[in-house]
Amino acid sequence: MKDMSDTKTMILTVAERFDDRGDIMQLTLKGDGPLPLFTAGAHIDLLVETPEGPLWRQYSLAGNPADRDCYRLGILKDPESRGGSTALHRLVKTGEKVHVEGPRNHFPLATDATNTVLFGGGIGVTPMLAMAWELHDRDAPFTLHYATRSAERTAFLDQIEGLPFRANIVLHHDDGQGAEPLDLARDLPKAEAGTHVYVCGPQGFMDWVIGEAEKAGYPGKQIHREYFSADVDATGDSFEVYCEQSDLTVTVGPDETIAKVLAREGLKIEVKCEEGICGTCVTDVLEGEIDHRDQFLTEEEREDGDQICCCCSRAKGRLVLDI
């Protein structure tokens, strides 16, 4: 199971805000002293105040994991989001305090890799930059492919040009101006036992990279992914949920989620992303067949059949939860 151990809330200061290319806002967060350690691929949960109320949203850490002085984030102003990113772009200013939980890592680097290939699409480059730092410090072989629509939409470009591992980074622009578009027939290495592929970015970009890696013969355990958002259909037929510890039985309707129905009955499961990508609401299952709708659990964890993301996944029949 992935690391979900640190849920302590911190109050950090926005030491710097920089509005970068591609509608991406860079934030530098600092505390009163050294911040908790994180490993490459980790994210923090950031509390966002919106007109509809407070929301928790997850943002990957983009800085050097060896630097405990600050956390660095890149946040896309996404018009298709549910309000978190647009609220942050509108409201956050240098000097303000923000509530943070974590860091937590659902997307760690494989320690047994002999070669690592990183694919970042747009805002998906943020965890890849931290991974590149960690791999560089390990003196481990890697290549980072960073794909954007154009040079004018390429955030972090100023920092990238000065990085000590700049030679390991390949820029790709869809418009072909200044850098060739990403070509997986060329840029995805041959599948070998020690080569691991990591991908993060828009869902279409990720599905493309993952699909091509699978076609090339990469086994699932060598393809690593992290979704920033996901198109989740949480609807379906009604089903019954029995909570064993609480001795509570509920019916989840066609347009309801387990978490919302249980909350209505006074049994609250903590939920943050509501899209099945952060893992906050993962709950142990004692009996029943799960209809997984999340992007968080691995295929191996799904096959075990003993965990469910209650914010979006459903059941095929009666489900018994260990709560």
Side-chain angles (χ1 to χ4, degrees):
M1 183 64 186
K2 304 173 184 68
D3 174 27
M4 296 185 59
S5 58
D6 194 338
T7 58
K8 181 180 178 181
T9 301
M10 299 178 287
I11 300 177
L12 304 183
T13 301
V14 179
E16 182 181 4
R17 169 181 174 158
F18 173 62
D19 292 311
D20 204 346
R21 303 169 180 87
D23 292 326
I24 291 175
M25 172 179 65
Q26 292 188 41
L27 293 182
T28 301
L29 307 181
K30 292 190 175 184
D32 295 328
L35 295 172
L37 286 169
F38 74 94
T39 53
H43 72 271
I44 58 172
D45 299 330
L46 187 62
L47 186 62
V48 184
E49 297 291 346
T50 73
E52 292 75 29
L55 300 173
W56 284 99
R57 291 294 179 259
Q58 294 72 44
Y59 297 104
S60 294
L61 295 167
N64 185 350
D67 181 6
R68 298 188 62 186
D69 181 56
C70 65
Y71 290 153
R72 301 185 188 278
L73 310 176
I75 301 174
L76 172 68
K77 185 179 181 181
D78 184 358
E80 301 300 320
S81 77
R82 290 166 295 133
S85 68
T86 53
L88 281 171
H89 274 256
R90 185 177 68 254
L91 299 172
V92 170
K93 298 178 177 63
T94 300
E96 291 191 349
K97 304 292 184 181
V98 292
H99 289 76
V100 169
E101 288 186 359
R104 299 186 292 178
N105 200 340
H106 306 153
F107 192 43
L109 286 166
T111 57
D112 60 345
T114 56
N115 184 34
T116 302
V117 189
L118 310 171
F119 291 98
I123 189 60
V125 77
T126 50
M128 303 304 174
L129 290 171
M131 289 180 173
W133 271 112
E134 189 166 306
L135 291 163
H136 170 74
D137 288 347
R138 289 187 200 170
D139 198 24
F142 76 94
T143 303
L144 167 54
H145 293 277
Y146 178 19
T148 61
R149 295 177 185 174
S150 65
E152 289 74 26
R153 303 285 297 175
T154 303
F156 297 98
L157 187 58
D158 297 334
Q159 295 95 315
I160 285 172
E161 293 301 338
L163 292 173
F165 44 85
R166 174 64 182 88
N168 298 72
I169 301 176
V170 184
L171 299 177
H172 302 279
H173 304 322
D174 292 346
D175 65 4
Q177 300 298 310
E180 293 182 316
L182 181 64
D183 180 354
L184 293 177
R186 177 194 64 209
D187 299 319
L188 180 66
K190 179 182 177 182
E192 296 181 347
T195 300
H196 285 249
V197 172
Y198 290 77
V199 59
C200 187
Q203 186 164 349
F205 174 83
M206 294 183 62
D207 291 344
W208 174 49
V209 174
I210 293 166
E212 291 303 309
E214 291 173 342
K215 289 179 186 177
Y218 281 86
K221 65 181 180 180
Q222 289 172 229
I223 305 173
H224 310 268
R225 68 208 74 185
E226 182 172 64
Y227 288 87
F228 282 151
S229 63
D231 297 325
V232 178
D233 179 8
T235 63
D237 295 336
S238 297
F239 60 95
E240 184 178 280
V241 173
Y242 175 62
C243 303
E244 186 170 88
Q245 293 185 35
S246 308
D247 192 25
L248 171 67
T249 300
V250 298
T251 298
V252 179
D255 297 311
E256 299 177 311
T257 67
I258 297 172
K260 288 182 178 179
V261 171
L262 291 180
R264 191 168 64 218
E265 298 297 323
L267 183 56
K268 186 175 180 181
I269 296 175
E270 186 176 9
V271 172
K272 288 185 176 176
C273 75
E274 300 178 275
E275 295 181 327
I277 58 175
C278 77
T280 302
C281 66
V282 169
T283 304
D284 290 336
V285 176
L286 300 177
E287 296 177 24
E289 184 179 358
I290 304 167
D291 179 6
H292 292 286
R293 307 287 184 91
D294 66 281
Q295 299 286 359
F296 176 77
L297 296 174
T298 65
E299 286 303 318
E300 292 81 5
E301 289 168 337
R302 290 185 177 198
E303 289 173 5
D304 289 340
D306 58 1
Q307 297 179 90
I308 187 171
C309 286
C310 289
C311 72
C312 64
S313 292
R314 305 183 69 80
K316 300 175 182 179
R318 186 172 184 265
L319 203 64
V320 179
L321 302 182
D322 191 18
I323 53 176

